[in-house]
Amino acid sequence: MKKIVSLVVVLILMLNVSCDKCEEGDRATPASFFVAIIDATTDENVFENETFLPTQIVIKDLEDKLVPFRFIPNSNLIQIFPNTQNLVDNTIELTLNNPTTLTTEEIIITNDLSAKQEECYTTYKVENIQVPNNISNVVDGIYVIKI
């Protein structure tokens, strides 16, 4: 009888203990990049000088699907989370709108992604960010775009 109970306990332990080293909470940080939009004439951030409002930002891909983003109020930056389904030639359109002044700006941003398979998840990194229709440069990892 003791052998049967011991065998059952061992079987239960084997079924409950997985060799998988991945924990349920293990997730990769989503791929993203930061953008600052600057007025080309004044060199002021367009959200700081209230040329545009953070509530009027819309970011879409070429298939007209919304691209997730986060506006960071203390630094007036936009953190963009591009779609990771396509690794190359991704294009998004960032639209700024001010309904009071009836001003609209559209900024085209292209990027590629690299994928690295980890043990429990895939990590994506945004690469080759281009802003073909605007002057832009990278300052401390932030893409500064002049409009």
Side-chain angles (χ1 to χ4, degrees):
M1 183 71 163
K2 285 185 178 183
K3 289 183 181 184
I4 294 175
V5 171
S6 298
L7 181 62
V8 169
V9 169
V10 169
L11 286 174
I12 291 173
L13 284 175
M14 287 176 58
L15 292 174
N16 286 335
V17 176
S18 171
C19 294
D20 187 8
K21 295 180 182 176
C22 299
E23 300 210 9
E24 192 172 315
D26 283 349
R27 290 200 175 110
T29 303
S32 70
F33 61 97
F34 293 89
V35 171
I37 311 294
I38 306 296
D39 185 306
T41 308
T42 64
D43 279 339
E44 292 179 305
N45 186 297
V46 296
F47 300 108
E48 236 173 79
N49 67 13
E50 298 180 356
T51 302
F52 293 102
L53 305 172
T55 56
Q56 298 297 324
I57 301 169
V58 176
I59 304 175
K60 293 184 177 182
D61 63 16
L62 291 181
E63 296 173 358
D64 213 30
K65 293 180 184 172
L66 291 174
V67 174
F69 70 92
R70 184 179 82 167
F71 182 77
I72 304 168
N74 294 339
S75 55
N76 294 308
L77 297 175
I78 304 168
Q79 183 179 16
I80 301 172
F81 302 93
N83 185 341
T84 57
Q85 290 178 349
N86 296 326
L87 295 181
V88 294
D89 297 328
N90 294 303
T91 300
I92 59 174
E93 182 178 78
L94 188 152
T95 304
L96 304 174
N97 186 21
N98 186 331
T100 307
T101 62
L102 301 176
T103 305
T104 301
E105 282 287 338
E106 292 179 348
I107 302 166
I108 302 296
I109 303 172
T110 62
N111 68 78
D112 296 327
L113 295 166
S114 63
K116 180 179 178 187
Q117 184 62 46
E118 302 288 341
E119 185 174 358
C120 301
Y121 48 80
T122 301
T123 303
Y124 295 95
K125 181 179 176 187
V126 182
E127 298 175 335
N128 194 27
I129 297 172
Q130 303 285 322
V131 187
N133 302 329
N134 298 82
I135 296 171
S136 66
N137 60 346
V138 181
V139 178
D140 296 328
I142 299 167
Y143 291 84
V144 179
I145 302 170
K146 293 189 177 190
I147 59 171

